[in-house]
Amino acid sequence: MSPTVRVVAHPNIALSKYWGKAKRDGNFPAVPSLSVTLSGMATRTTVRFVEGLADDQVSLGGTPMTAGLTKVTALLDTVRAAAGIQLRAEVETANDFPTGSGLASSASGFAALALASVRAAGLDWDATRVSGLARAASASAARSLFGGYVELPFGAEGARPVATKESFPLRVLVCVATEEAKKVASTEGMTTTAATSPYYAAWLEEAPRVHERLRSALLADDFSSVGALAESSALMMHASALAAGVVYVKGVTLDVLATVRELRAKGTEAYATMDAGPHVKVLVRPADAAKVHDVLVHVPGVLRMLTTEPGDPARVVDEEP
Ligand code: DP6
């Protein structure tokens, strides 16, 4: 039996979004992306390779996993091939936030699985290589191997850190709009967008420009530009998806967006971003977090709010021989 390795990983929120895949095998994004890894939400995953199992045994939140099992087994197969082992794995994973609803559970989930399985198999891989393994399963997961601000450049195997969590003070207010899993997974949503959206070509052209400008603004400590560019990246991504009939927003999403824009018009700098789900994540300076929270928490349809901040990389928290 292999060691039992326990890992914690955090989700990340893309400031410049990945949406669409490159025309090559291996799950490479069609555009670069830049995210912030968030404390305050976490996936905890334990992996060990054991004798006598016919298949990998995977549980999510205490229940045997069904959706997404193929990607888990494919990742474990890559690790087994690299380590030269045949053993099947026991995987236990749990999120302390809603799973599969657009809160980036696949990002923290596959980052945690990649790191835990690499270590349990005894492979001495650096973070970039582990990030590449996570990317092949779910590209946003590549970024959760690192803490702070992280980019996944176009064509890169793995993600790389861009700025430390301390270098750009930020609070991300997550407005939870549903506890349910989404109906269209992001892989399917982006594939449909690429195949049928009349605006997908425009997205492919604009996304790298927004990414470069956002990266420069981040490194120049320009909060206003980072916020404005992040909001525009999200709106462009959703516009391309909407034009293909891929609708992740709900009424509450647009109501929060409108409230964020009203706050801005009245002089409080808040910016909105949304991934493949109805939740809005609002970017504010730390000093404005309490005030903006108190406004958004009253928007009808906001079930609850989480206040998060730039967080740490995926890490091994326990290892038993
Ligand atoms: C909207 O990483 O979930 O969150 O690689 O197909 O698993 P797959 O997609 P996934 O897509 C994330 C899309 C996004 C934007 C982002 O995180 O960059």
Short mmCIF file of all heavy atoms in Angstrom, two decimals, residues 248-314:
data_model
loop_
_atom_site.label_atom_id
_atom_site.label_comp_id
_atom_site.label_asym_id
_atom_site.label_seq_id
_atom_site.Cartn_x
_atom_site.Cartn_y
_atom_site.Cartn_z
N TYR A 248 -25.91 30.89 -18.04
CA TYR A 248 -25.59 30.58 -16.65
C TYR A 248 -26.19 31.61 -15.69
O TYR A 248 -26.35 31.34 -14.52
CB TYR A 248 -24.07 30.53 -16.44
CG TYR A 248 -23.42 29.34 -17.12
CD1 TYR A 248 -22.58 29.51 -18.21
CD2 TYR A 248 -23.67 28.04 -16.67
CE1 TYR A 248 -21.97 28.42 -18.83
CE2 TYR A 248 -23.07 26.95 -17.28
CZ TYR A 248 -22.23 27.14 -18.35
OH TYR A 248 -21.65 26.06 -18.96
N VAL A 249 -26.46 32.81 -16.22
CA VAL A 249 -26.97 33.87 -15.34
C VAL A 249 -28.43 33.62 -15.00
O VAL A 249 -29.17 33.02 -15.77
CB VAL A 249 -26.81 35.27 -15.99
CG1 VAL A 249 -25.35 35.62 -16.18
CG2 VAL A 249 -27.57 35.37 -17.30
N LYS A 250 -28.80 34.11 -13.81
CA LYS A 250 -30.21 34.09 -13.39
C LYS A 250 -30.60 35.54 -13.10
O LYS A 250 -29.75 36.44 -13.15
CB LYS A 250 -30.37 33.26 -12.12
CG LYS A 250 -30.12 31.79 -12.34
CD LYS A 250 -30.50 31.03 -11.08
CE LYS A 250 -30.50 29.53 -11.38
NZ LYS A 250 -31.04 28.74 -10.30
N GLY A 251 -31.87 35.74 -12.73
CA GLY A 251 -32.32 37.09 -12.39
C GLY A 251 -31.45 37.71 -11.30
O GLY A 251 -31.01 38.86 -11.41
N VAL A 252 -31.14 36.91 -10.28
CA VAL A 252 -30.36 37.43 -9.15
C VAL A 252 -28.96 37.87 -9.61
O VAL A 252 -28.39 38.84 -9.11
CB VAL A 252 -30.30 36.41 -7.99
CG1 VAL A 252 -29.78 35.07 -8.43
CG2 VAL A 252 -29.44 36.92 -6.84
N THR A 253 -28.41 37.16 -10.61
CA THR A 253 -27.09 37.52 -11.13
C THR A 253 -27.12 38.95 -11.67
O THR A 253 -26.24 39.77 -11.36
CB THR A 253 -26.69 36.56 -12.28
OG1 THR A 253 -27.02 35.22 -11.90
CG2 THR A 253 -25.22 36.67 -12.63
N LEU A 254 -28.15 39.24 -12.47
CA LEU A 254 -28.25 40.57 -13.08
C LEU A 254 -28.58 41.63 -12.04
O LEU A 254 -28.12 42.77 -12.12
CB LEU A 254 -29.29 40.54 -14.21
CG LEU A 254 -28.94 39.58 -15.35
CD1 LEU A 254 -30.04 39.56 -16.41
CD2 LEU A 254 -27.61 39.96 -16.01
N ASP A 255 -29.37 41.25 -11.01
CA ASP A 255 -29.69 42.21 -9.95
C ASP A 255 -28.43 42.58 -9.16
O ASP A 255 -28.24 43.75 -8.81
CB ASP A 255 -30.76 41.64 -9.01
CG ASP A 255 -32.13 41.60 -9.68
OD1 ASP A 255 -32.30 42.28 -10.71
OD2 ASP A 255 -33.01 40.89 -9.18
N VAL A 256 -27.58 41.59 -8.87
CA VAL A 256 -26.33 41.90 -8.15
C VAL A 256 -25.44 42.76 -9.03
O VAL A 256 -24.87 43.76 -8.57
CB VAL A 256 -25.59 40.61 -7.70
CG1 VAL A 256 -24.23 40.95 -7.10
CG2 VAL A 256 -26.43 39.83 -6.69
N LEU A 257 -25.35 42.40 -10.31
CA LEU A 257 -24.53 43.19 -11.24
C LEU A 257 -25.00 44.64 -11.28
O LEU A 257 -24.19 45.58 -11.20
CB LEU A 257 -24.61 42.55 -12.63
CG LEU A 257 -23.83 43.22 -13.75
CD1 LEU A 257 -22.33 43.21 -13.46
CD2 LEU A 257 -24.10 42.50 -15.09
N ALA A 258 -26.32 44.84 -11.35
CA ALA A 258 -26.87 46.21 -11.39
C ALA A 258 -26.53 46.95 -10.09
O ALA A 258 -26.18 48.14 -10.11
CB ALA A 258 -28.38 46.16 -11.61
N THR A 259 -26.61 46.25 -8.96
CA THR A 259 -26.32 46.89 -7.66
C THR A 259 -24.85 47.29 -7.58
O THR A 259 -24.50 48.37 -7.08
CB THR A 259 -26.69 45.93 -6.50
OG1 THR A 259 -28.03 45.49 -6.70
CG2 THR A 259 -26.58 46.62 -5.16
N VAL A 260 -23.99 46.43 -8.09
CA VAL A 260 -22.54 46.73 -8.11
C VAL A 260 -22.30 47.99 -8.95
O VAL A 260 -21.53 48.88 -8.57
CB VAL A 260 -21.76 45.52 -8.68
CG1 VAL A 260 -20.34 45.89 -9.07
CG2 VAL A 260 -21.74 44.38 -7.64
N ARG A 261 -22.99 48.08 -10.07
CA ARG A 261 -22.80 49.24 -10.94
C ARG A 261 -23.37 50.52 -10.30
O ARG A 261 -22.79 51.60 -10.45
CB ARG A 261 -23.43 48.97 -12.29
CG ARG A 261 -22.69 47.84 -12.97
CD ARG A 261 -23.20 47.51 -14.33
NE ARG A 261 -22.09 47.04 -15.12
CZ ARG A 261 -21.94 47.21 -16.41
NH1 ARG A 261 -22.84 47.84 -17.11
NH2 ARG A 261 -20.87 46.76 -17.02
N GLU A 262 -24.47 50.38 -9.55
CA GLU A 262 -25.02 51.55 -8.83
C GLU A 262 -24.03 52.02 -7.76
O GLU A 262 -23.81 53.21 -7.59
CB GLU A 262 -26.32 51.17 -8.11
CG GLU A 262 -27.58 51.39 -8.93
CD GLU A 262 -28.75 50.63 -8.31
OE1 GLU A 262 -28.85 50.55 -7.07
OE2 GLU A 262 -29.55 50.09 -9.10
N LEU A 263 -23.45 51.05 -7.05
CA LEU A 263 -22.45 51.41 -6.03
C LEU A 263 -21.32 52.20 -6.66
O LEU A 263 -20.86 53.21 -6.13
CB LEU A 263 -21.88 50.13 -5.38
CG LEU A 263 -22.70 49.48 -4.28
CD1 LEU A 263 -22.19 48.06 -4.00
CD2 LEU A 263 -22.63 50.31 -2.99
N ARG A 264 -20.90 51.73 -7.82
CA ARG A 264 -19.78 52.39 -8.52
C ARG A 264 -20.17 53.80 -8.94
O ARG A 264 -19.39 54.73 -8.78
CB ARG A 264 -19.42 51.57 -9.74
CG ARG A 264 -17.94 51.37 -9.81
CD ARG A 264 -17.49 50.24 -10.64
NE ARG A 264 -18.00 50.12 -11.97
CZ ARG A 264 -18.38 48.96 -12.51
NH1 ARG A 264 -18.32 47.85 -11.79
NH2 ARG A 264 -18.81 48.91 -13.74
N ALA A 265 -21.40 53.94 -9.45
CA ALA A 265 -21.86 55.27 -9.89
C ALA A 265 -21.88 56.24 -8.71
O ALA A 265 -21.69 57.43 -8.87
CB ALA A 265 -23.25 55.15 -10.51
N LYS A 266 -22.10 55.69 -7.50
CA LYS A 266 -22.14 56.56 -6.30
C LYS A 266 -20.77 56.68 -5.65
O LYS A 266 -20.65 57.18 -4.54
CB LYS A 266 -23.15 55.99 -5.30
CG LYS A 266 -24.58 56.13 -5.77
CD LYS A 266 -25.51 55.66 -4.67
CE LYS A 266 -26.94 55.51 -5.18
NZ LYS A 266 -27.63 54.38 -4.55
N GLY A 267 -19.73 56.13 -6.29
CA GLY A 267 -18.37 56.38 -5.80
C GLY A 267 -17.68 55.25 -5.06
O GLY A 267 -16.53 55.40 -4.64
N THR A 268 -18.37 54.10 -4.87
CA THR A 268 -17.70 52.96 -4.21
C THR A 268 -17.21 52.01 -5.29
O THR A 268 -18.00 51.50 -6.07
CB THR A 268 -18.66 52.21 -3.26
OG1 THR A 268 -19.15 53.14 -2.32
CG2 THR A 268 -17.95 51.07 -2.55
N GLU A 269 -15.93 51.75 -5.30
CA GLU A 269 -15.39 50.89 -6.36
C GLU A 269 -15.61 49.41 -6.06
O GLU A 269 -14.96 48.84 -5.19
CB GLU A 269 -13.91 51.18 -6.54
CG GLU A 269 -13.69 52.39 -7.42
CD GLU A 269 -12.29 52.39 -7.95
OE1 GLU A 269 -12.02 51.73 -8.97
OE2 GLU A 269 -11.45 53.04 -7.30
N ALA A 270 -16.54 48.84 -6.78
CA ALA A 270 -16.81 47.39 -6.70
C ALA A 270 -16.97 46.91 -8.13
O ALA A 270 -17.49 47.65 -8.98
CB ALA A 270 -18.08 47.15 -5.90
N TYR A 271 -16.51 45.70 -8.39
CA TYR A 271 -16.56 45.15 -9.76
C TYR A 271 -17.04 43.71 -9.69
O TYR A 271 -16.71 42.99 -8.74
CB TYR A 271 -15.17 45.21 -10.41
CG TYR A 271 -14.66 46.63 -10.55
CD1 TYR A 271 -13.90 47.22 -9.53
CD2 TYR A 271 -14.96 47.39 -11.67
CE1 TYR A 271 -13.45 48.52 -9.63
CE2 TYR A 271 -14.52 48.70 -11.79
CZ TYR A 271 -13.76 49.26 -10.76
OH TYR A 271 -13.32 50.56 -10.87
N ALA A 272 -17.80 43.29 -10.72
CA ALA A 272 -18.43 41.97 -10.67
C ALA A 272 -17.77 41.00 -11.65
O ALA A 272 -17.31 41.40 -12.72
CB ALA A 272 -19.91 42.10 -11.02
N THR A 273 -17.72 39.74 -11.26
CA THR A 273 -17.30 38.69 -12.20
C THR A 273 -18.14 37.44 -11.94
O THR A 273 -18.54 37.18 -10.80
CB THR A 273 -15.79 38.41 -12.11
OG1 THR A 273 -15.46 37.39 -13.07
CG2 THR A 273 -15.34 37.93 -10.74
N MET A 274 -18.44 36.70 -13.01
CA MET A 274 -19.26 35.49 -12.90
C MET A 274 -18.62 34.39 -13.73
O MET A 274 -18.15 34.63 -14.84
CB MET A 274 -20.67 35.71 -13.49
CG MET A 274 -21.50 36.78 -12.82
SD MET A 274 -21.14 38.42 -13.46
CE MET A 274 -21.90 38.35 -15.08
N ASP A 275 -18.61 33.18 -13.20
CA ASP A 275 -18.10 32.03 -13.95
C ASP A 275 -19.29 31.23 -14.50
O ASP A 275 -20.34 31.80 -14.75
CB ASP A 275 -17.16 31.21 -13.07
CG ASP A 275 -15.86 31.98 -12.84
OD1 ASP A 275 -15.29 32.45 -13.83
OD2 ASP A 275 -15.45 32.12 -11.69
N ALA A 276 -19.11 29.93 -14.69
CA ALA A 276 -20.17 29.14 -15.31
C ALA A 276 -21.24 28.78 -14.28
O ALA A 276 -21.48 27.61 -13.98
CB ALA A 276 -19.58 27.89 -15.95
N GLY A 277 -21.88 29.80 -13.74
CA GLY A 277 -22.92 29.62 -12.74
C GLY A 277 -23.52 30.97 -12.41
O GLY A 277 -23.03 32.00 -12.89
N PRO A 278 -24.58 31.01 -11.60
CA PRO A 278 -25.29 32.27 -11.37
C PRO A 278 -24.69 33.17 -10.28
O PRO A 278 -25.12 34.31 -10.12
CB PRO A 278 -26.67 31.78 -10.92
CG PRO A 278 -26.41 30.47 -10.25
CD PRO A 278 -25.25 29.86 -10.98
N HIS A 279 -23.70 32.66 -9.54
CA HIS A 279 -23.13 33.46 -8.45
C HIS A 279 -22.33 34.63 -9.00
O HIS A 279 -21.63 34.49 -9.99
CB HIS A 279 -22.18 32.63 -7.59
CG HIS A 279 -22.64 31.23 -7.36
ND1 HIS A 279 -23.63 30.90 -6.47
CD2 HIS A 279 -22.26 30.07 -7.93
CE1 HIS A 279 -23.82 29.60 -6.50
NE2 HIS A 279 -23.02 29.08 -7.38
N VAL A 280 -22.41 35.77 -8.29
CA VAL A 280 -21.56 36.90 -8.66
C VAL A 280 -20.48 37.01 -7.60
O VAL A 280 -20.75 36.88 -6.41
CB VAL A 280 -22.36 38.22 -8.74
CG1 VAL A 280 -21.45 39.37 -9.16
CG2 VAL A 280 -23.53 38.08 -9.70
N LYS A 281 -19.24 37.20 -8.05
CA LYS A 281 -18.14 37.44 -7.12
C LYS A 281 -17.76 38.90 -7.29
O LYS A 281 -17.50 39.34 -8.42
CB LYS A 281 -16.94 36.55 -7.42
CG LYS A 281 -17.20 35.07 -7.19
CD LYS A 281 -17.57 34.38 -8.45
CE LYS A 281 -17.82 32.89 -8.24
NZ LYS A 281 -17.98 32.19 -9.54
N VAL A 282 -17.74 39.63 -6.18
CA VAL A 282 -17.54 41.07 -6.26
C VAL A 282 -16.17 41.43 -5.71
O VAL A 282 -15.81 41.05 -4.59
CB VAL A 282 -18.68 41.80 -5.51
CG1 VAL A 282 -18.48 43.30 -5.58
CG2 VAL A 282 -20.03 41.41 -6.12
N LEU A 283 -15.43 42.16 -6.53
CA LEU A 283 -14.05 42.53 -6.19
C LEU A 283 -14.05 43.91 -5.56
O LEU A 283 -14.56 44.86 -6.16
CB LEU A 283 -13.19 42.56 -7.46
CG LEU A 283 -13.33 41.36 -8.41
CD1 LEU A 283 -12.57 41.63 -9.71
CD2 LEU A 283 -12.82 40.09 -7.74
N VAL A 284 -13.51 44.01 -4.35
CA VAL A 284 -13.45 45.30 -3.66
C VAL A 284 -12.10 45.45 -2.95
O VAL A 284 -11.42 44.45 -2.69
CB VAL A 284 -14.57 45.47 -2.59
CG1 VAL A 284 -15.92 45.63 -3.24
CG2 VAL A 284 -14.56 44.32 -1.60
N ARG A 285 -11.76 46.70 -2.61
CA ARG A 285 -10.61 46.91 -1.74
C ARG A 285 -10.99 46.45 -0.33
O ARG A 285 -12.17 46.57 0.06
CB ARG A 285 -10.24 48.39 -1.70
CG ARG A 285 -9.66 48.91 -3.01
CD ARG A 285 -9.06 50.30 -2.78
NE ARG A 285 -8.46 50.82 -4.00
CZ ARG A 285 -9.12 51.57 -4.88
NH1 ARG A 285 -10.39 51.90 -4.68
NH2 ARG A 285 -8.51 52.00 -5.96
N PRO A 286 -10.02 45.98 0.46
CA PRO A 286 -10.35 45.51 1.81
C PRO A 286 -11.15 46.54 2.62
O PRO A 286 -12.10 46.15 3.33
CB PRO A 286 -8.97 45.24 2.42
CG PRO A 286 -8.11 44.87 1.24
CD PRO A 286 -8.60 45.72 0.10
N ALA A 287 -10.83 47.81 2.50
CA ALA A 287 -11.50 48.83 3.31
C ALA A 287 -12.98 48.98 2.95
O ALA A 287 -13.78 49.46 3.76
CB ALA A 287 -10.79 50.18 3.13
N ASP A 288 -13.38 48.57 1.74
CA ASP A 288 -14.78 48.71 1.31
C ASP A 288 -15.60 47.43 1.51
O ASP A 288 -16.80 47.41 1.23
CB ASP A 288 -14.84 49.08 -0.18
CG ASP A 288 -14.31 50.48 -0.43
OD1 ASP A 288 -14.48 51.35 0.46
OD2 ASP A 288 -13.72 50.71 -1.50
N ALA A 289 -14.95 46.35 1.98
CA ALA A 289 -15.61 45.04 1.99
C ALA A 289 -16.88 45.03 2.85
O ALA A 289 -17.93 44.54 2.41
CB ALA A 289 -14.63 43.96 2.46
N ALA A 290 -16.81 45.58 4.08
CA ALA A 290 -17.96 45.51 4.99
C ALA A 290 -19.14 46.29 4.43
O ALA A 290 -20.29 45.80 4.41
CB ALA A 290 -17.55 46.04 6.36
N LYS A 291 -18.85 47.48 3.92
CA LYS A 291 -19.92 48.34 3.39
C LYS A 291 -20.61 47.68 2.18
O LYS A 291 -21.84 47.62 2.10
CB LYS A 291 -19.26 49.67 2.97
CG LYS A 291 -20.21 50.72 2.45
CD LYS A 291 -19.49 52.06 2.22
CE LYS A 291 -18.38 51.94 1.18
NZ LYS A 291 -17.70 53.20 0.88
N VAL A 292 -19.82 47.15 1.27
CA VAL A 292 -20.40 46.53 0.06
C VAL A 292 -21.15 45.24 0.44
O VAL A 292 -22.24 44.97 -0.08
CB VAL A 292 -19.28 46.26 -0.99
CG1 VAL A 292 -19.83 45.48 -2.17
CG2 VAL A 292 -18.67 47.58 -1.46
N HIS A 293 -20.60 44.49 1.36
CA HIS A 293 -21.28 43.28 1.86
C HIS A 293 -22.68 43.63 2.36
O HIS A 293 -23.66 42.96 2.03
CB HIS A 293 -20.43 42.65 2.98
CG HIS A 293 -21.07 41.47 3.63
ND1 HIS A 293 -22.07 41.59 4.59
CD2 HIS A 293 -20.88 40.14 3.48
CE1 HIS A 293 -22.45 40.39 4.99
NE2 HIS A 293 -21.74 39.50 4.32
N ASP A 294 -22.76 44.70 3.16
CA ASP A 294 -24.05 45.04 3.77
C ASP A 294 -25.10 45.48 2.74
O ASP A 294 -26.29 45.38 3.00
CB ASP A 294 -23.85 46.12 4.84
CG ASP A 294 -23.13 45.54 6.06
OD1 ASP A 294 -22.97 44.29 6.11
OD2 ASP A 294 -22.70 46.31 6.93
N VAL A 295 -24.65 45.96 1.61
CA VAL A 295 -25.61 46.30 0.54
C VAL A 295 -26.03 45.03 -0.21
O VAL A 295 -27.21 44.76 -0.40
CB VAL A 295 -24.98 47.33 -0.43
CG1 VAL A 295 -25.88 47.56 -1.64
CG2 VAL A 295 -24.69 48.65 0.29
N LEU A 296 -25.04 44.21 -0.61
CA LEU A 296 -25.34 43.06 -1.48
C LEU A 296 -26.13 41.97 -0.77
O LEU A 296 -26.93 41.26 -1.39
CB LEU A 296 -24.04 42.48 -2.05
CG LEU A 296 -23.26 43.43 -2.96
CD1 LEU A 296 -21.97 42.77 -3.43
CD2 LEU A 296 -24.10 43.87 -4.16
N VAL A 297 -25.94 41.85 0.53
CA VAL A 297 -26.61 40.79 1.28
C VAL A 297 -28.14 40.98 1.25
O VAL A 297 -28.89 40.03 1.45
CB VAL A 297 -26.03 40.72 2.72
CG1 VAL A 297 -26.63 41.76 3.62
CG2 VAL A 297 -26.14 39.32 3.30
N HIS A 298 -28.59 42.21 0.96
CA HIS A 298 -30.02 42.50 0.90
C HIS A 298 -30.62 42.38 -0.50
O HIS A 298 -31.82 42.58 -0.68
CB HIS A 298 -30.29 43.90 1.47
CG HIS A 298 -30.02 43.97 2.94
ND1 HIS A 298 -29.03 44.75 3.50
CD2 HIS A 298 -30.59 43.29 3.98
CE1 HIS A 298 -29.01 44.55 4.81
NE2 HIS A 298 -29.94 43.67 5.12
N VAL A 299 -29.80 42.05 -1.50
CA VAL A 299 -30.36 41.87 -2.85
C VAL A 299 -31.21 40.59 -2.84
O VAL A 299 -30.70 39.52 -2.48
CB VAL A 299 -29.24 41.78 -3.92
CG1 VAL A 299 -29.83 41.47 -5.30
CG2 VAL A 299 -28.41 43.06 -3.95
N PRO A 300 -32.51 40.69 -3.20
CA PRO A 300 -33.35 39.48 -3.17
C PRO A 300 -32.76 38.37 -4.03
O PRO A 300 -32.30 38.62 -5.15
CB PRO A 300 -34.70 39.97 -3.75
CG PRO A 300 -34.69 41.45 -3.52
CD PRO A 300 -33.25 41.89 -3.61
N GLY A 301 -32.72 37.16 -3.48
CA GLY A 301 -32.17 36.02 -4.22
C GLY A 301 -30.76 35.67 -3.80
O GLY A 301 -30.28 34.57 -4.08
N VAL A 302 -30.08 36.58 -3.11
CA VAL A 302 -28.75 36.24 -2.57
C VAL A 302 -28.99 35.40 -1.31
O VAL A 302 -29.55 35.88 -0.33
CB VAL A 302 -27.91 37.51 -2.24
CG1 VAL A 302 -26.62 37.14 -1.52
CG2 VAL A 302 -27.61 38.29 -3.52
N LEU A 303 -28.61 34.12 -1.37
CA LEU A 303 -28.90 33.21 -0.27
C LEU A 303 -28.00 33.46 0.92
O LEU A 303 -28.41 33.40 2.07
CB LEU A 303 -28.73 31.75 -0.72
CG LEU A 303 -29.58 31.31 -1.92
CD1 LEU A 303 -29.31 29.85 -2.24
CD2 LEU A 303 -31.06 31.52 -1.64
N ARG A 304 -26.73 33.71 0.62
CA ARG A 304 -25.75 34.00 1.67
C ARG A 304 -24.51 34.53 0.99
O ARG A 304 -24.39 34.44 -0.23
CB ARG A 304 -25.45 32.77 2.52
CG ARG A 304 -24.88 31.61 1.77
CD ARG A 304 -24.97 30.32 2.57
NE ARG A 304 -24.54 29.22 1.74
CZ ARG A 304 -23.28 28.81 1.62
NH1 ARG A 304 -22.32 29.39 2.31
NH2 ARG A 304 -22.97 27.81 0.82
N MET A 305 -23.63 35.08 1.80
CA MET A 305 -22.40 35.64 1.22
C MET A 305 -21.17 35.10 1.93
O MET A 305 -21.21 34.82 3.12
CB MET A 305 -22.42 37.16 1.31
CG MET A 305 -23.42 37.76 0.32
SD MET A 305 -23.41 39.54 0.35
CE MET A 305 -21.74 39.91 -0.16
N LEU A 306 -20.09 34.97 1.17
CA LEU A 306 -18.80 34.57 1.73
C LEU A 306 -17.82 35.69 1.44
O LEU A 306 -17.82 36.23 0.33
CB LEU A 306 -18.28 33.30 1.04
CG LEU A 306 -19.19 32.09 0.98
CD1 LEU A 306 -18.65 31.08 -0.02
CD2 LEU A 306 -19.27 31.46 2.36
N THR A 307 -17.01 36.02 2.43
CA THR A 307 -15.96 37.00 2.18
C THR A 307 -14.64 36.26 2.10
O THR A 307 -14.25 35.57 3.03
CB THR A 307 -15.91 38.05 3.30
OG1 THR A 307 -17.19 38.71 3.34
CG2 THR A 307 -14.83 39.08 3.05
N THR A 308 -13.99 36.37 0.95
CA THR A 308 -12.74 35.63 0.75
C THR A 308 -11.62 36.60 0.37
O THR A 308 -11.89 37.75 0.01
CB THR A 308 -12.89 34.57 -0.36
OG1 THR A 308 -13.08 35.25 -1.59
CG2 THR A 308 -14.07 33.66 -0.11
N GLU A 309 -10.40 36.11 0.44
CA GLU A 309 -9.26 36.96 0.09
C GLU A 309 -8.19 36.09 -0.58
O GLU A 309 -8.29 34.86 -0.55
CB GLU A 309 -8.71 37.64 1.34
CG GLU A 309 -8.31 36.71 2.44
CD GLU A 309 -7.98 37.49 3.72
OE1 GLU A 309 -8.90 37.79 4.50
OE2 GLU A 309 -6.78 37.78 3.91
N PRO A 310 -7.19 36.72 -1.18
CA PRO A 310 -6.14 35.92 -1.84
C PRO A 310 -5.56 34.90 -0.87
O PRO A 310 -5.25 35.22 0.28
CB PRO A 310 -5.12 36.98 -2.24
CG PRO A 310 -5.93 38.22 -2.44
CD PRO A 310 -7.00 38.16 -1.38
N GLY A 311 -5.44 33.66 -1.34
CA GLY A 311 -5.07 32.57 -0.44
C GLY A 311 -3.83 31.81 -0.86
O GLY A 311 -3.06 32.24 -1.73
N ASP A 312 -3.66 30.66 -0.23
CA ASP A 312 -2.42 29.88 -0.32
C ASP A 312 -2.48 28.81 -1.42
O ASP A 312 -3.55 28.43 -1.87
CB ASP A 312 -2.16 29.21 1.03
CG ASP A 312 -1.81 30.24 2.09
OD1 ASP A 312 -1.08 31.19 1.76
OD2 ASP A 312 -2.30 30.11 3.22
N PRO A 313 -1.32 28.29 -1.79
CA PRO A 313 -1.28 27.20 -2.77
C PRO A 313 -1.89 25.91 -2.23
O PRO A 313 -2.07 25.77 -1.02
CB PRO A 313 0.22 26.98 -3.00
CG PRO A 313 0.96 27.90 -2.12
CD PRO A 313 0.01 28.69 -1.30
N ALA A 314 -2.14 24.96 -3.12
CA ALA A 314 -2.50 23.61 -2.71
C ALA A 314 -1.31 23.03 -1.94
O ALA A 314 -0.16 23.28 -2.29
CB ALA A 314 -2.78 22.75 -3.94
#
